[in-house]
Amino acid sequence: MVFEVMAELPVEALGEVLALIETVRCDPYAWPCVADLGSVEEIREAWSDLAWVQYEPVDRTVQIREIGWAG
């Protein structure tokens, strides 16, 4: 689960990931779709300096699929 992964992040990573999630929430279509051609899902990825979030826009929300930290 995303919450379990976030609980294991260092404090500086948590802040960056949360900021990235807020950016994605405000404008979910600003980031590129990375779903395979022909996929019925719309999977997008957003990146900051050291964090990334893979998500799916659903109605007026975003469903977080994965988060990562490269720090």
Side-chain angles (χ1 to χ4, degrees):
M1 291 304 248
V2 170
F3 292 114
E4 293 168 351
V5 172
M6 290 180 72
E8 296 176 10
L9 290 173
V11 174
E12 65 274 9
L14 185 58
E16 190 168 336
V17 168
L18 289 174
L20 186 57
I21 290 171
E22 178 62 14
T23 300
V24 163
R25 188 192 65 77
C26 291
D27 192 2
Y29 297 99
W31 300 87
C33 184
V34 298
D36 294 329
L37 291 176
S39 175
V40 296
E41 296 177 310
E42 182 178 353
I43 308 302
R44 294 179 175 265
E45 283 185 357
W47 293 80
S48 64
D49 289 339
L50 295 174
W52 59 271
V53 176
Q54 188 180 77
Y55 65 97
E56 180 178 10
V58 178
D59 296 324
R60 287 184 260 172
T61 66
V62 291
Q63 182 177 36
I64 304 298
R65 298 172 61 96
E66 273 187 68
I67 61 171
W69 174 252

